[in-house]
Amino acid sequence: MPKLRGVLLDLDGTLANTEDYNYAYATNKPVEELLEYKLYQFLRPVLKVISWEEFIELYIRANKEIKAELHGTAASHNRYLYIQKTLELCGINFVPDIIQRAVDFYFDEMLKKTVLYPGVLEGLKQMKFNQLSTCMITDFTADIQIRKIRKLGIMKYIDYMVTSEEAGADKPHVEQAVLALKKLHLRQEEVVMIGNNPKTDIELAHRFGLRSVLFDPRGLYQNQKGKETFYAQDFSEVMKWLGVPKVEYSRKKLLVLDFVGTLTTEKSMIEEVIGTFVRKDPAFVSAEYQLFRQGTITESEFWFRVGVSEVKKAHKAIDAAITIRRSVISLLEKLKKKYKLVLLTDFPQQWGRQIFENRGLDRLFDRMIFGGDTDFVKPDARLYNHLLTLYPDISPENIALVDDTQQALASGRDLLMHTILVENAASRHTAFVPDTIIKDILDLGQALEKNERVNR
Ligand SMILES: [Mg+2]
């Protein structure tokens, strides 16, 4: 069996209790706690003489009719349609303002009660700590599912979401899973489907050739073996079956800093550093520099090609071209008390190590990783994975990554690191949105503090 690389997750009734106060499922709850009963109370002023018993009968009928008419689509779950149809069945004319407020009320009430099932948060974290990709696949409209996820606060552990609204069909049609694998860039045999419903989640997995877990927190199917690969009532059993080991971390924090453009006044390596003493076309120098960084040419070959004959002189010229402000150094001294500092840069180690030693800055860092120290260059995800292996006791969630390149941050974000972009004129905008953006490295202390306040 190929290595597990991703997990498809159902939301309602699997990760969270969103269905537990529905009339259809909450058989053991007092009627006052049911969402439909609250909805009935809310609609009382227009329902007037209609009793709860009459209302719920008509509501269920409306529900069934909509589901039959719109079978297998996201719209079949639409509360606007249920409520509108119920009112129609009650002989009440079209009252859009009341329908709109009733729908908002219904979901506000649902979200008040919405919590994750025990062990789910821990499980999602462990999946991400073990570098599994996660995609939610869920029958409903995107707007409501996004509201639920925001309430649950699990955004950073879910890489993607596919709703039946987006895929065009409810489960067990396989469209959602097809789209999910496309987003994840994974194959069927590399993922597992986790869901609470044998007829939808497990049936889809069966049809699409996925391994599946029937996660049954309410114990509805404990005595019947269906098409699932594995059955569990406890999320920690699911994690065990997936073979995802529990990772324990210390409380230590890591601050990972880029060099040129982040700590230096100079923003651009080619124009503002090498360009101060090399007079060739920057595009040519840049291309040669890439060859040197990739190890295709040696350092002396690089200097020769760009017209510099003495390597020692070149090193001196580079050192002279780099400016690290005194205020930046005192900032790092301050941050060092709270964080382990790591320098992570593609800047060649042949030049960098000496520059830091000459200025006595090497003592600030727990570790300095220059270009050439590893086999990887930014934004290769393996470089950030390597960093995690160097600090196995530090949670990726306690690692802040500071860089002026968005692509470099994106690789760290996928591993749950906090990403801070130092935005400058040289920053090229990509689709990636960092957690925090600062204009000057001196704003870093404040940005870190703010993030901690938010996450506390
Ligand atoms: Mg479900």
Side-chain angles (χ1 to χ4, degrees), residues 10-14 19 196-197 201:
D10 171 52
L11 170 58
D12 297 292
T14 298
E19 294 168 343
N196 70 313
N197 191 326
D201 304 315

Side-chain angles (χ1 to χ4, degrees), residues 40-67:
Y40 168 69
Q41 292 292 351
F42 184 86
L43 291 169
R44 271 314 267 286
V46 287
L47 292 171
K48 296 199 173 82
V49 295
I50 291 166
S51 71
W52 157 245
E53 287 75 18
E54 287 169 305
F55 171 80
I56 191 65
E57 200 189 312
L58 293 173
Y59 184 81
I60 290 167
R61 194 174 127 199
N63 204 318
K64 276 192 186 145
E65 287 181 16
I66 300 277
K67 280 216 161 107

Side-chain angles (χ1 to χ4, degrees), residues 8 18 78 91 111 154 160 163 184 187 191 205 240 262 301 306 335 340 346 349 380-381 385:
L8 308 188
T18 49
N78 192 328
L111 289 175
I154 51 173
Y160 296 98
T163 60
L184 295 171
R187 291 172 290 131
V191 303
K240 254 188 241 159
T262 299
E301 277 174 308
V306 299
L335 291 171
K340 272 181 189 290
D346 286 340
Q349 44 106 349
D380 191 331
N385 262 315

Side-chain angles (χ1 to χ4, degrees), residues 69-325:
E69 284 159 18
L70 296 167
H71 182 68
T73 67
S76 72
H77 308 279
N78 192 328
R79 263 48 176 192
Y80 277 89
L81 303 181
Y82 293 3
I83 295 170
Q84 182 180 307
K85 186 135 207 157
T86 307
L87 294 176
E88 284 165 8
L89 293 171
C90 293
I92 293 165
N93 285 345
F94 184 49
V95 278
D97 54 333
I98 289 164
I99 297 172
Q100 160 125 48
R101 279 189 286 126
V103 171
D104 289 344
F105 171 82
Y106 178 90
F107 284 112
D108 287 346
E109 288 299 310
M110 174 194 278
L111 289 175
K112 273 187 209 163
K113 302 265 190 197
T114 296
V115 290
L116 293 170
Y117 283 125
V120 167
L121 180 63
E122 197 51 36
L124 291 176
K125 280 190 187 194
Q126 296 298 334
M127 287 177 198
K128 294 309 294 172
F129 290 157
N130 283 281
Q131 274 124 55
L132 293 179
S133 302
T134 52
C135 183
M136 189 164 278
I137 67 172
T138 173
D139 290 345
F140 222 114
T141 51
D143 56 343
I144 300 298
Q145 298 312 70
I146 285 169
R147 281 188 71 185
K148 290 176 191 166
I149 292 167
R150 290 188 62 195
K151 158 75 205 264
L152 294 167
I154 51 173
M155 294 76 82
K156 58 181 184 174
Y157 310 113
I158 306 293
D159 297 318
Y160 296 98
M161 179 176 82
V162 173
T163 60
S164 52
E165 182 177 38
E166 183 181 0
D170 275 350
K171 297 174 266 188
H173 293 289
V174 299
E175 282 85 345
Q176 288 180 48
V178 172
L179 195 50
L181 292 194
K182 207 165 146 192
K183 291 190 187 196
L184 295 171
H185 301 289
L186 293 178
R187 291 172 290 131
Q188 273 122 307
E189 56 274 28
E190 293 174 318
V191 303
V192 165
M193 169 76 211
I194 303 176
N196 70 313
N197 191 326
K199 284 193 200 140
T200 58
D201 304 315
I202 304 306
E203 178 61 29
L204 171 143
H206 178 73
R207 287 186 193 178
F208 196 47
L210 306 177
R211 287 171 283 170
S212 65
V213 175
L214 178 59
F215 175 53
D216 185 23
R218 289 173 288 190
L220 302 176
Y221 311 104
Q222 47 191 326
N223 298 319
Q224 55 202 82
K225 168 77 186 124
K227 293 174 178 169
E228 69 275 5
T229 325
F230 181 70
Y231 172 90
Q233 286 187 35
D234 187 326
F235 210 80
S236 64
E237 287 171 41
V238 178
M239 299 308 290
K240 254 188 241 159
W241 183 77
L242 292 176
V244 175
K246 206 172 156 109
V247 190
E248 306 267 11
Y249 296 112
S250 69
R251 301 183 61 133
K252 282 182 217 153
K253 291 177 181 162
L254 206 64
L255 184 59
V256 181
L257 298 141
D258 171 48
F259 182 31
V260 175
T262 299
L263 298 182
T264 67
T265 302
E266 295 70 32
K267 310 295 183 202
S268 144
M269 183 68 194
I270 303 300
E271 275 99 0
E272 291 178 81
V273 180
I274 300 177
T276 54
F277 59 98
V278 169
R279 299 289 165 223
K280 295 228 157 122
D281 170 32
F284 169 75
V285 177
S286 175
E288 294 298 318
Y289 178 65
Q290 295 312 326
L291 292 178
F292 162 46
R293 282 203 331 177
Q294 291 158 8
T296 313
I297 59 173
T298 65
E299 191 197 348
S300 30
E301 277 174 308
F302 167 70
W303 288 125
F304 178 76
R305 291 187 189 195
V306 299
V308 176
S309 51
E310 277 182 70
V311 172
K312 267 208 173 133
K313 261 195 185 163
H315 286 189
K316 274 203 180 126
I318 286 194
D319 195 339
I322 295 273
T323 321
I324 304 176
R325 281 171 289 169

